[in-house]
Amino acid sequence: MVPNPAVGAGGSDGPAGADTVLVGTFNTPGADSPVLANAGGLVRTTGWPDPADAVAGGGPDAPSWLVRGRAGTDSEGKLYAALHLPEGEIAVLSPSAVRAPSPGNDVGWTTSQRVPTGGANTCHADLNPSGTWLAAASYDSGTLTVAPVLEGGLLGQPVAVQAPDGSGPVASRQEAPHLHFVLFLDDDRLLVTDLGADRLLEYSLQDIVRNGAGTAPGDTAGVDVTDCTPSWVHLLPAGTGPRHLALLPPLPEAGIDGRHLAVVGELDSRLHVLDLDATAGGFREVAIVPTHAQDQDPGSAQDNLPSHLVLSPDGALIYVANRGRDTIGVIHRAGTPELIAEVPCGGNWPRHLALGHPGGAPTLLVALERGDAVVGLPLDAEGIPGEARTRVTVRRPGFVLPRG
């Protein structure tokens, strides 16, 4: 079975039950949501699949990504939140006891630490497999930040590097590097997508921290900014706009061996499949498939702007969120990947997806950023999403984390 790449692996979801989904939002500090008299960025929803409701809001502002701590490591039991703020940060969250009846601001998590990333609008984070280092990408500034995980799960002093100069042909989006997603391939190798320059930057963690990083819990005196040249630069076709990544497992029964990587092209509206066994020119592209049905208007892809992808548990299907078309593309992995379905997402602007079993039923959870809702799409026996069964009002949701 392949772990759901949308939520990471291992760790605890805290005190909430199996019918609970935690939502990260792009809240406006100081404003109230439609359903909660609370301006925090985290919203706890419960009662899935029916009737589900938002019951608590709180936590740090603008948690655009949540990473579970890894089981059996110092990070276990924590959540790490990438805060999409002009001065980006990582928040370390610890479980709190949700009381019954729960007060409106008790989301089940409290903020134990906030650490600056040295970047602007930190949008994504990942832990290495051993749970000893966390990495984060900041979109606006093109900054990659790493920080050690200390005893108890807090973070040590962060180390930041700036992406090398680069640009792409889409002038409105590719005037400079824009880092969007980080992925550890192992404890040392780290990939980061550069939407602004059509490339994947590969770094060695040890190269980044060769001058050492602080180890004092709560040390936020500053970010250790260092120079580091990527060990590899893996180029994608001009205008791709690589956004998010997912590791693809081998499927011997489908004739797919070896390690592969799926890359969502935000600007070309295609899924790029790369062979992870790098050649002299970097990762080799082995397949490209559209994330949506092809229209007569070839320019329609420019407004689609796909966001996130997740794999089915057996790794045979890839679900891609199409924001412009308000759909979910379903791609079947075979000798040649094929778009086999495109279904409505249940609302407006699907930013994030996660697979879960809220209430026991296999469900694709969708954060509708401009629809102010999280919806649950039940999956049929073939893994195809159906019409939205559950809808919860949440203002500007950007991330969904079901009980693991």
Side-chain angles (χ1 to χ4, degrees), residues 51-323:
D53 195 13
V55 297
D61 291 324
S64 64
W65 199 269
L66 300 171
V67 182
R68 285 194 184 108
R70 299 202 182 276
T73 73
D74 284 326
S75 66
E76 182 173 5
K78 302 293 186 185
L79 284 181
Y80 299 88
L83 304 186
H84 199 275
L85 301 170
E87 295 183 1
E89 293 179 297
I90 296 293
V92 182
L93 307 177
S94 302
S96 64
V98 175
R99 296 173 295 278
S102 169
N105 65 350
D106 193 345
V107 295
W109 296 91
T110 60
T111 302
S112 298
Q113 183 190 33
R114 292 176 67 150
V115 174
T117 62
N121 289 321
T122 303
C123 53
H124 187 261
D126 190 29
L127 283 166
N128 67 353
S130 295
T132 54
W133 284 86
L134 181 135
S138 296
Y139 180 81
D140 281 7
S141 57
T143 307
L144 171 64
T145 308
V146 299
V149 179
L150 309 178
E151 184 177 357
L154 298 182
L155 299 176
Q157 185 183 13
V159 180
V161 298
Q162 290 300 123
D165 291 342
S167 60
V170 183
S172 61
R173 298 290 306 280
Q174 295 188 306
E175 80 293 348
H178 291 297
L179 305 188
H180 211 300
F181 192 97
V182 289
L183 176 68
F184 277 101
L185 296 178
D186 56 34
D187 276 343
D188 183 62
R189 295 177 65 196
L190 175 63
L191 293 178
V192 57
T193 61
D194 184 354
L195 187 148
D198 297 319
R199 60 193 179 180
L200 307 181
L201 303 175
E202 180 175 338
Y203 288 90
S204 162
L205 176 63
Q206 294 307 309
D207 285 348
I208 295 174
V209 300
R210 63 187 178 274
N211 293 326
T215 58
D219 179 5
T220 58
V223 180
D224 181 3
V225 179
T226 186
D227 293 325
C228 184
T229 301
S231 53
W232 284 89
V233 176
H234 307 282
L235 299 177
L236 289 156
T240 296
R243 179 182 172 95
H244 284 192
L245 306 173
L247 290 171
L248 303 178
L251 291 177
E253 65 278 11
I256 302 175
D257 299 316
R259 303 182 306 159
H260 293 86
L261 182 73
V263 184
V264 170
E266 178 174 336
L267 302 183
D268 71 355
S269 200
R270 300 189 296 179
L271 185 80
H272 300 252
V273 180
L274 310 181
D275 187 337
L276 280 179
D277 292 327
T279 65
F283 296 149
R284 181 174 61 92
E285 194 165 60
V286 296
I288 302 176
V289 58
T291 67
H292 61 88
Q294 299 303 285
D295 300 327
Q296 293 183 351
D297 177 11
S300 64
Q302 298 176 3
D303 300 320
N304 185 45
L305 304 175
S307 55
H308 187 56
L309 74 167
V310 294
L311 303 182
S312 61
D314 62 2
L317 297 178
I318 303 172
Y319 303 96
V320 183
N322 294 306
R323 288 180 292 181

